[in-house]
Amino acid sequence: MNHVASPAAPPQHSEQIAIFRKLVIGFWSSPGSRIAWITTAVVLAFVGAQVGTQVFFNYWYRAFFDGLQQKDMSVLVGALFQLPMIVVATVVASGGLLVSKMMFHVSWRAWVTQRLAGWWIADQRYYRLGLIAPEHQAPEYRIAEDTKLAIEPLAEFVIGLVSATVTAITFSTILWSVAGSFRLTLGQVVIDIPAYMAVAAVIYAALTSTIAYLAGMPLVRHVADKNAAESEFRAELTRLRENAESIALIKGDKDELNSVLANYGRVVRAWYGVIRQQGFISILQNTNAVLFPVIPLVLTLPKYVSGEMTLGAVMQVASAFAAVQGSLIWFVDNVVKLAEWYASVRRVNELVILLDQLDIGTIMEGDANIRLGISEDGSIHIDNLSIAESAGRVVINDASVVIKQGERVMVMGESGVGKSTLIRALAGLWPWGLGEIRVPRDVEIAFVPQRPYIPLGTLRNALLYPDAGSKIAHETVVRTMVRCGLSYLAKRLDDEERWDHVLSGGERQRVAFCRLVLRQPDIIIMDEATSALDEDSQQSMLNLLHEELKSSTVISVGHRTGIEEHHDRKIILERRPAGAHMTSLTVSKSLWSYFRQQRA
């Protein structure tokens, strides 16, 4: 029997980016990508419009200050008349860019969420993921929150980078043409520095970006640790809420409080790491905010004093330098957001990798999955079946049995021997192991767990789940409820409640039997399906299987007395060193006789 493969090393930075890029890039190539291209084109158009208004305002700036220096009222009045048009154009471009970016965010996130959620929910991956990787908690949070934190900033980064690039190129051209070259005389040596303002902007931006990179990279780890600690803290509180009754009954308040506070202590320590690193980055950002408005004025001062540049030209150059500088130090201004984004990307990638492993079978070494096949004779065939836990321990070893159509079979054995795991394998929920399970073609299989699921909505929807839209007559539903001991709820069939909170454990199990009668499945697989019922109610529900579901094949697990006589045969699992051994026995005729007498 093969065991679980050793976990792979966490992907490196480049691999993390590649995994995430593969996930999100399909937005532009999948069916229905027309919306992606339209929203992308609209965003880019507004980026161009916004840069255009900045250029127009830059030239207005020069004209206004030249008129101010020359005290030319005609130039100043003309500039003031142009100002409203510039303001309107700027407002329209900025507002359009904001709205189009938000539409782009929503569309891209919706596509990625639909893909991830569909991948997670399909083929019971949401169930199997909890079995193979219970330490990776809250996949729903990764789909809902981490996807948001990974997509929305990414869209902002991409749009911001495009805008910064276009702005840098455009205003570098202005710096080159307006500021010209700078002649530096050192003794007898004369050095001409062409486009010196553009060169100065690039050098300054490169210096500050390098420092920001060195200060920002450790922040990625601190943010990832902080997010992980926050997730674990939420999971701890959720576990407390879900087990509130059990904890209250045994008065475990003090221990739980200590556990919660210890968990939150890890959150606080992780936050201290983030705060320290952000403090370093804040020093860099504030220093840069003070220096970069002054630098262009200092660099243009010699030319202004010598008369080579007018006041308007100085102000235009200073404005263009600020635009180029703001574009080139884009990384400095976004280093914290990039760290937050990368931390969320890593958490989304963890879910993607696990889902991918479920699909390609890399959780187990080699070809170690239970094969599901088709039976041609109407029976269920279990051939050379070995079942392993997700950790690799063999639970059931080399078992074979045939369950004929319409047969009632009970699975028995001591606790922990693998009964529930066998039931899950029969239901197609447990693929880890070897051997084959064959079921008849085109049959409906109903799985009844110990705690049946109750969906949101009306009680009628709960009774008809998962076929809530099926057209079953009202009278049939009511008659079934009466037969299952739920007649007192018949008047509330169309009431919307949190029925999973309203119904007791026994009522939930009665609802499950109602579903069986209404659906009439070909195969019924039950796991402790009557554990919350009293003995009389249990007998009534099991009698229901013989009266209303005579042709259905029934496979069930149960420990309580009074269950065995409702079955034709029992399969006993016996614990052995190499895994449980399966023995099939026929139920005693005397028990059947007793059962029939009781029914009579």
Side-chain angles (χ1 to χ4, degrees):
M1 184 71 194
N2 293 332
H3 292 273
V4 178
S6 301
Q12 299 300 312
H13 295 317
S14 59
E15 295 173 320
Q16 292 279 4
I17 299 300
I19 292 169
F20 190 71
R21 182 177 65 244
K22 183 179 178 182
L23 170 67
V24 302
I25 200 68
F27 180 53
W28 287 271
S29 59
S30 63
S33 60
R34 182 180 178 184
I35 294 177
W37 287 106
I38 290 174
T39 54
T40 302
V42 171
V43 169
L44 292 177
F46 278 112
V47 167
Q50 188 179 54
V51 174
T53 59
Q54 291 173 347
V55 171
F56 194 44
F57 187 73
N58 180 263
Y59 278 96
W60 178 91
Y61 219 55
R62 175 172 183 170
F64 180 81
F65 278 96
D66 278 343
L68 191 65
Q69 182 181 22
Q70 299 165 8
K71 299 181 181 180
D72 189 335
M73 284 301 298
S74 61
V75 173
L76 292 173
V77 171
L80 290 175
F81 271 111
Q82 290 177 340
L83 186 59
M85 293 185 294
I86 298 175
V87 171
V88 171
T90 301
V91 169
V92 171
S94 300
L97 181 59
L98 175 65
V99 172
S100 60
K101 282 197 300 184
M102 293 177 69
M103 293 177 62
F104 182 75
H105 293 170
V106 171
S107 301
W108 199 4
R109 181 188 171 191
W111 185 88
V112 175
T113 300
Q114 183 178 9
R115 183 179 179 189
L116 267 181
W119 194 6
W120 178 53
I121 294 174
D123 298 326
Q124 294 91 38
R125 293 186 188 91
Y126 55 90
Y127 173 78
R128 289 187 281 141
L129 190 63
L131 298 174
I132 66 165
E135 71 281 2
H136 291 281
Q137 298 175 0
E140 68 281 1
Y141 180 85
R142 302 185 187 211
I143 294 173
E145 190 64 22
D146 283 316
T147 298
K148 172 188 172 184
L149 297 176
I151 291 298
E152 291 185 1
L154 177 60
E156 287 286 347
F157 296 153
V158 172
I159 296 169
L161 185 59
V162 171
S163 178
T165 302
V166 174
T167 301
I169 294 173
T170 302
F171 283 93
S172 292
T173 304
I174 293 175
L175 285 177
W176 194 319
S177 62
V178 176
S181 61
F182 183 75
R183 176 163 292 182
L184 179 64
T185 303
L186 299 174
Q188 301 297 320
V189 179
V190 178
I191 302 174
D192 284 325
I193 304 175
Y196 80 104
M197 289 297 294
V199 172
V202 170
I203 293 174
Y204 182 77
L207 179 63
T208 54
S209 296
T210 301
I211 297 173
Y213 177 81
L214 296 176
M217 283 308 295
L219 184 62
V220 173
R221 176 177 57 83
H222 289 302
V223 170
D225 292 343
K226 182 263 295 181
N227 288 349
E230 293 275 17
S231 177
E232 291 173 5
F233 181 60
R234 283 191 299 271
E236 175 80 3
L237 296 177
T238 301
R239 184 194 61 78
L240 175 62
R241 175 177 55 80
E242 291 176 347
N243 296 277
E245 183 178 6
S246 299
I247 295 170
L249 288 173
I250 62 175
K251 294 180 171 55
D253 307 42
K254 184 177 180 180
D255 288 342
E256 292 301 320
L257 178 60
N258 291 336
S259 177
V260 167
L261 294 180
N263 216 321
Y264 186 68
R266 288 190 285 272
V267 175
V268 172
R269 288 192 294 275
W271 264 109
Y272 282 152
V274 173
I275 292 170
R276 281 195 304 272
Q277 205 63 37
Q278 284 192 334
F280 298 147
I281 294 171
S282 176
I283 293 173
L284 172 65
Q285 290 175 329
N286 292 330
T287 303
N288 179 65
V290 172
L291 286 178
F292 90 80
V294 177
I295 289 175
L297 298 178
V298 173
L299 293 175
T300 55
L301 182 62
K303 282 200 167 190
Y304 176 71
V305 172
S306 66
E308 294 181 59
M309 293 180 67
T310 65
L311 178 61
V314 170
M315 299 308 295
Q316 184 184 18
V317 167
S319 175
F321 186 92
V324 173
Q325 179 64 15
S327 300
L328 294 179
I329 63 169
W330 174 86
F331 178 82
V332 178
D333 294 333
N334 288 275
V335 64
V336 176
K337 294 179 181 178
L338 281 167
E340 289 275 5
W341 169 76
Y342 184 71
S344 294
V345 165
R346 289 174 59 182
R347 289 177 57 79
V348 172
N349 283 351
E350 287 176 359
L351 178 61
V352 170
I353 292 169
L354 287 170
L355 291 174
D356 193 47
Q357 287 176 333
L358 284 174
D359 288 344
I360 64 178
T362 57
I363 295 297
M364 304 290 291
E365 293 179 355
D367 183 17
N369 287 327
I370 297 171
R371 299 186 304 277
L372 300 177
I374 301 298
S375 167
E376 302 296 344
D377 61 1
S379 300
I380 298 173
H381 292 260
I382 298 175
D383 296 328
N384 302 315
L385 180 65
S386 294
I387 301 177
E389 291 179 339
S390 58
R393 183 177 71 89
V394 177
V395 180
I396 296 175
N397 188 32
D398 199 23
S400 297
V401 71
V402 176
I403 301 173
K404 296 180 180 179
Q405 183 178 1
E407 194 173 13
R408 311 296 169 94
V409 176
M410 182 175 182
V411 180
M412 302 180 67
E414 60 183 279
S415 179
V417 77
K419 302 183 297 299
S420 295
T421 307
L422 173 62
I423 292 295
R424 293 185 181 99
L426 290 171
L429 299 177
W430 193 279
W432 300 289
L434 294 172
E436 184 177 26
I437 297 174
R438 287 179 286 136
V439 298
R441 189 187 305 274
D442 299 326
V443 295
E444 182 178 359
I445 302 176
F447 180 65
V448 186
Q450 183 175 0
R451 186 174 175 81
Y453 172 66
I454 306 296
L456 297 176
T458 65
L459 181 58
R460 187 188 303 274
N461 287 341
L463 291 169
L464 299 179
Y465 185 84
D467 302 316
S470 58
K471 303 299 182 181
I472 297 179
H474 176 76
E475 293 76 13
T476 303
V477 175
V478 172
R479 185 170 59 251
T480 303
M481 292 179 70
V482 172
R483 179 64 185 83
C484 293
L486 295 174
S487 57
Y488 56 93
L489 291 174
K491 293 182 179 180
R492 303 186 62 188
L493 264 173
D494 295 310
D495 290 356
E496 288 203 18
E497 297 267 9
R498 281 297 305 269
W499 290 105
D500 55 332
H501 293 168
V502 173
L503 299 177
S504 67
E507 288 172 327
R508 293 167 74 116
Q509 292 187 344
R510 291 176 185 273
V511 166
F513 277 91
C514 282
R515 290 174 182 166
L516 294 178
V517 174
L518 293 171
R519 289 178 61 189
Q520 294 288 309
D522 303 287
I523 299 173
I524 302 170
I525 302 175
M526 302 191 299
D527 187 5
E528 302 282 0
T530 61
S531 60
L533 299 172
D534 59 74
E535 290 190 8
D536 290 340
S537 298
Q538 175 181 270
Q539 291 296 327
S540 176
M541 293 300 100
L542 294 178
N543 289 344
L544 190 69
L545 297 180
H546 296 279
E547 296 167 1
E548 302 288 345
L549 298 154
K550 296 178 181 179
S551 61
S552 298
T553 303
V554 178
I555 305 170
S556 63
V557 168
H559 294 95
R560 297 177 62 186
T561 58
I563 297 179
E564 186 175 341
E565 61 262 29
H566 290 271
H567 298 79
D568 305 309
R569 183 157 54 109
K570 58 185 177 182
I571 294 174
I572 299 177
L573 297 178
E574 298 175 321
R575 192 187 304 276
R576 294 185 181 179
H581 176 74
M582 182 180 292
T583 302
S584 177
L585 300 175
T586 302
V587 174
S588 169
K589 293 294 183 181
S590 60
L591 287 173
W592 265 111
S593 301
Y594 172 78
F595 168 65
R596 289 175 180 141
Q597 290 173 7
Q598 291 296 106
R599 287 183 58 192

